[in-house]
Amino acid sequence: MRILGIETSCDETAAAVVENGVEVLSHTVASSLAEHEKYGGIIPEIASRRQLESIQAVVALALDAAGLNLSQIDAIAVTREPGLIGSLLVGISFANALSFALGKPLIRVNHIEAHLYAAFLIAKEQGRKEDMPRLPAVGLVVSGGHSSLFAVERFKKFRIIGQTRDDAAGEAFDKVARLLNLGYPGGPVIDRLAREFPQPGITFTAAKLPGSLDFSFSGVKTAVLYYKRQKERDAGFSVGSVAAAFQDCVVRSLVEKTILACGQTGFQTIIVGGGVAANSALRAALTREAQQRGIKIYFPALPFCMDNAAMIAGLAHRLYSANN
Ligand code: KG4
Ligand code: ZN
């Protein structure tokens, strides 16, 4: 079964064709991110205007890259929620119209659950994947808008077991990068910079929230702000060390709660998704801690960590098929 996925929840306009829920035949993403950079965050009105202008071309590109035409598609999948309302509306209206015109089913998918599904996808250039994740699993979604832990028993049963009480992990990266004048989005810059400061010599600590699987990152952001104010006065301020110490703190918190979630659920598999799943320090630390405990861990290939439509088409296939 070939599903055309459409995703327009934030700044991106994305389309992809996925075969049988795992094989990504094509995926295309157009982003208006550069236009938002000067504002330090996404401007919804700009995002939805660009999506309206580009959606038809993006879908055509994805079909072209897969070497298919619309009549060879079996179903349409689209992001239902959550996201910017104007942006979601562009994708949903387009997908609705396509489904109606073609007489093919429309499958609506939750964006956050799809982020976790990304770990199941196989990119065309990747070839066969030996080892696929198996459910049940602990799911960690870390993106610009969400930091949540899920107990994923089936593709139709994602149960939230922990979430952020304030900032999402990606949001914290973006805000701290702004504080440090590193630009937007902050995650990739901090990730790169932190590699040059493996021993930052500063320690920030996130709120522990003992026993709970919830996260809290706003305190770390404030700690970075105070540290910056103090040290700038003392003229002893290294942006790289602060960025590395901040990242280290966020990674420690994410790793600790994810491993705790495995203990509480008894699940022996972890799947990770969302933009922050691209973070090299998180990938390394979580892999090390999971492997030490005999827990299997799966991250998406880098292009499928960020918002994309392949994850939407992939999860749609599982939701559409029986017995999931
Ligand atoms: O999943 P995503 O593309 O969009 C949302 O659904 O929010 O995530 C975007 C977020 C941004 O906050 C960005 O700073 C963060 O993911 N991000 C990273 C990295 N790459 C992207 N955070 C840390 N390290 C990275 N390498
Ligand atoms: Zn996302």
Side-chain angles (χ1 to χ4, degrees):
M1 183 180 195
R2 291 187 191 122
I3 299 187
L4 169 69
I6 294 173
E7 143 71 40
T8 59
S9 66
C10 191
D11 61 283
E12 71 296 327
T13 309
V17 183
V18 176
E19 179 137 35
N20 297 329
V22 288
E23 206 183 325
V24 182
L25 302 182
S26 69
H27 84 106
T28 307
V29 185
S31 167
S32 56
L33 202 57
E35 284 182 72
H36 306 275
E37 254 168 9
K38 59 176 177 284
Y39 305 104
I42 304 296
I43 308 296
E45 182 64 22
I46 297 180
S48 55
R49 277 170 192 262
R50 293 298 166 264
Q51 284 158 330
L52 201 53
E53 287 160 7
S54 61
I55 190 158
Q56 198 161 353
V58 169
V59 168
L61 272 174
L63 286 166
D64 250 21
L68 299 169
N69 58 50
L70 277 174
S71 66
Q72 295 167 294
I73 295 294
D74 302 301
I76 316 292
V78 69
T79 304
R80 158 170 56 93
E81 59 172 3
L84 302 171
I85 189 71
S87 294
L88 287 169
L89 207 55
V90 173
I92 293 170
S93 313
F94 191 88
N96 244 321
L98 208 52
S99 146
F100 181 73
L102 298 171
K104 305 270 165 85
L106 177 68
I107 308 153
R108 294 156 185 265
V109 176
N110 178 290
H111 179 86
I112 306 189
E113 295 175 0
H115 265 307
L116 284 179
Y117 188 78
F120 290 81
L121 296 171
I122 302 173
K124 214 202 261 169
E125 58 280 5
Q126 221 177 324
R128 282 238 66 77
K129 215 179 192 176
E130 316 270 282
D131 186 21
M132 289 285 268
R134 280 170 181 270
L135 299 184
V138 164
L140 171 70
V141 183
V142 270
S143 71
H146 302 271
S147 297
S148 309
L149 278 163
F150 288 85
V152 189
E153 279 153 46
R154 291 179 289 121
F155 291 112
K156 289 179 183 163
K157 197 169 176 201
F158 288 74
R159 184 164 51 86
I160 290 212
I161 51 176
Q163 53 196 323
T164 181
R165 296 205 183 162
D166 36 61
D167 293 348
E171 186 182 359
F173 270 95
D174 295 337
K175 287 179 175 170
V176 165
R178 191 173 186 177
L179 263 174
L180 300 177
N181 298 318
L182 293 172
Y184 177 85
V189 194
I190 292 182
D191 190 353
R192 228 174 302 125
L193 192 56
R195 276 179 231 159
E196 294 164 32
F197 295 84
Q199 247 105 43
I202 312 162
T203 307
F204 296 116
T205 310
K208 291 262 183 248
L209 311 173
S212 163
L213 294 174
D214 285 351
F215 304 102
S216 168
F217 297 117
S218 76
V220 197
K221 180 189 63 191
T222 312
V224 172
L225 174 67
Y226 287 162
Y227 184 89
K228 182 182 173 220
R229 280 191 190 151
Q230 170 71 33
K231 289 292 168 182
E232 270 178 344
R233 239 177 283 136
D234 304 349
F237 186 69
S238 151
V239 172
S241 306
V242 175
F246 159 76
Q247 174 176 281
D248 189 49
C249 167
V250 172
V251 166
R252 264 185 287 125
S253 174
L254 293 173
V255 169
E256 186 189 315
K257 298 287 176 173
T258 308
I259 297 293
L260 185 62
C262 290
Q264 288 192 4
T265 56
F267 296 169
Q268 288 293 302
T269 300
I270 299 170
I271 46 179
V272 191
V276 185
N279 185 271
S280 57
L282 177 66
R283 290 173 92 98
L286 203 47
T287 303
R288 189 184 58 235
E289 295 297 321
Q291 283 175 349
Q292 276 173 7
R293 292 166 175 79
I295 298 169
K296 294 198 142 208
I297 177 149
Y298 301 86
F299 288 89
L302 289 184
F304 304 136
C305 289
M306 317 311 161
D307 287 341
N308 68 86
M311 65 187 194
I312 304 298
L315 180 57
H317 180 265
R318 305 287 181 140
L319 297 176
Y320 192 69
S321 324
N323 310 322
N324 278 307

